[in-house]
Amino acid sequence: MMSVFGTVQPGYEAVREAFAVGQEGDAGDAQLAVYRDGRMVVDLWSGSWSGDSAVILMSCTKGMMATCVHMLAQQGRLDIDATVTTYWPEFSAADVTVRHLLTHSAGLPGFARSTGIDAEKILDWDACTEVLAAADPLWKPGTAYRYHSLTFGHLVGEVIRRITGQTPGQFFRSSVAEPLGLSLWLGLPADEESRVEPIFSTNPLPSVDETLAQLASFGIDVTEPVLRTVMEDRQAGEAAGSLFNSREGHAAEIPAANGIGNARSLARMYAALMGEVDGVRLLTPDQAAVAAVPQTDDLPAAGEFARIPTPHPLRFALGYEAPRPGNPMLGSSSFGHTGLGGRLSFADPDSGIAVGYTCTNGSWNVYEGADPRWLPWLDALRTTL
């Protein structure tokens, strides 16, 4: 069986065993941390890692940004139903609200190739936000949704910057990470670089060209604007893949994807959304309840995506993911966010459980159901509870 290191509190021994089962045969390293009612009860890692090692978190970063938005809302500095132009006057789509940004229903799911935002330009904050400020939504905001895989971070991040005067990474650091003592960054300092482990994938997604050819064979119109824009964004993401293992990529702020940290810190942050952790609580019970309400159940997929059979469709609350078959978390009260390849972070208010799971091998395909590495220890957690 896979060697596992770290500790569990009495009663959580089965979680340790299940974590080892889930990692058996995995080519990479992983971490699992669990808090219950504000106290760490599981702190495990496998392979050559330590519990203090860090890794790119991919879209778990979106949960970090959602947390910032809800903190600003409860401080009275942000109205989720206000238009984006309230805070960002240069933003031209006057009917897009902050809620639309948080629920991936704003109609701005990608940087079209014509805008010039490519693998190099994605590091240029001003270039990215200027393009988004001038863009026309590809559907009427709030009437459909499609995952804003990269643009979510710049859209939400610029709203945070306009309100606070800080970059989203600076605001997260001062308002979330420092009060909780987290090893969690958006924009990694140079003196933390040695802690970061490189990522890879033994199960990469099909290329954009392969995907388009398959969709075309099903009779899908691959020239339709929403689908085309999303695929162009994916193509730029493929080209930018090496950035995620570079100092340049770690130092930048790409708030949809390049947060860096470890499982301990993810779990601790989500624990502080539900209750006090060493005297720090991030959200009030009312704000946490608002954040977790599913928002997209009655919305169709946008454009040609409505015609593509999707056995495990994404489901969103306000900035966080809501439970679904491909990401069951611990049940209907859970909210959090996955990251491309298998990173996972969430809170479950009904049980008081908060989870962080990180991995170096991004082998999980979001379209194939839940990551098999998660399932043993999720089952063990349910049994323990």
Side-chain angles (χ1 to χ4, degrees):
M1 185 174 288
M2 169 69 68
S3 296
V4 168
F5 308 95
T7 59
V8 297
Q9 294 299 307
Y12 293 85
E13 294 85 359
V15 177
R16 182 189 186 107
E17 295 172 7
F19 175 66
V21 170
Q23 292 307 127
E24 192 66 35
D26 187 9
D29 303 330
Q31 300 165 327
L32 174 65
V34 179
Y35 273 70
R36 187 172 191 185
D37 298 330
R39 182 175 65 95
M40 181 181 275
V41 295
V42 173
D43 181 25
L44 300 172
W45 58 92
S46 68
S48 61
W49 254 4
S50 76
D52 205 37
S53 299
V55 72
I56 286 270
L57 301 171
M58 306 309 288
S59 285
C60 290
T61 313
K62 293 181 175 74
M64 296 160 57
M65 293 299 97
T67 296
C68 293
V69 168
H70 287 287
M71 291 181 70
L72 290 171
Q74 77 179 12
Q75 293 167 10
R77 302 169 70 184
L78 177 150
D79 179 352
I80 286 171
D81 287 310
T83 61
V84 173
T85 56
T86 304
Y87 310 106
W88 183 357
E90 298 89 344
F91 193 80
S92 64
D95 54 347
V96 173
T97 67
V98 176
R99 183 181 297 273
H100 295 148
L101 303 186
L102 295 173
T103 57
H104 302 262
S105 64
L108 300 167
F111 296 105
R113 184 177 298 162
S114 61
T115 64
I117 301 299
D118 55 15
E120 181 180 344
K121 282 284 191 178
I122 199 67
L123 301 180
D124 185 332
W125 184 268
D126 289 340
C128 290
T129 54
E130 285 169 10
V131 161
L132 292 172
D136 293 323
L138 296 181
W139 62 84
K140 182 176 171 55
T143 63
Y145 79 109
R146 174 66 197 177
Y147 192 38
H148 289 41
S149 58
L150 280 177
T151 57
F152 175 97
H154 289 85
L155 290 164
V156 170
E158 183 66 6
V159 170
I160 292 169
R161 191 181 75 84
R162 293 302 180 105
I163 292 171
T164 66
Q166 297 176 287
T167 69
Q170 290 168 344
F171 181 74
F172 179 83
R173 192 77 206 149
S174 63
S175 299
V176 180
E178 289 179 353
L180 283 166
L182 304 181
S183 294
L184 201 53
W185 299 271
L186 177 65
L188 185 75
D191 59 2
E192 300 288 353
E193 185 66 35
S194 63
R195 296 172 62 180
V196 183
E197 298 290 333
I199 59 173
F200 62 96
S201 177
T202 56
N203 183 32
L205 291 171
S207 72
V208 169
D209 288 342
E210 291 170 335
T211 300
L212 290 174
Q214 184 178 40
L215 291 175
S217 73
F218 296 153
I220 301 298
D221 178 7
V222 297
T223 68
E224 184 269 327
V226 177
L227 191 147
R228 187 182 67 244
T229 297
V230 169
M231 289 297 116
E232 288 175 357
D233 240 30
R234 259 190 62 186
Q235 211 152 34
E238 289 173 2
S242 61
L243 282 174
F244 292 116
N245 285 326
S246 72
R247 173 62 199 148
E248 184 183 24
H250 296 168
E253 294 190 21
I254 309 173
N258 81 327
I260 292 176
N262 53 37
R264 290 171 174 169
S265 293
L266 284 173
R268 188 172 173 87
M269 183 191 81
Y270 276 95
L273 300 183
M274 301 182 290
E276 284 196 4
V277 178
D278 294 332
V280 177
R281 178 168 187 157
L282 298 178
L283 299 184
T284 65
D286 286 347
Q287 192 67 44
V290 166
V293 175
Q295 301 286 312
T296 58
D297 290 352
D298 296 327
L299 293 181
E304 281 292 271
F305 288 101
R307 298 180 57 218
I308 300 173
T310 307
H312 303 287
L314 297 176
R315 186 170 179 250
F316 295 106
L318 276 175
Y320 303 102
E321 284 189 76
R324 57 188 175 86
N327 178 21
M329 298 184 250
L330 283 176
S332 61
S333 78
S334 299
F335 64 99
H337 221 290
T338 56
L340 179 68
R343 293 92 195 173
L344 177 64
S345 52
F346 67 86
D348 183 62
D350 280 359
S351 64
I353 289 285
V355 167
Y357 172 83
T358 62
C359 52
T360 54
N361 178 15
S363 64
W364 176 57
N365 184 335
V366 65
Y367 304 109
E368 295 177 351
D371 191 324
R373 294 173 295 184
W374 305 338
L375 296 177
W377 54 261
L378 281 172
D379 287 344
L381 265 178
R382 293 187 190 97
T383 301
T384 298
L385 295 173

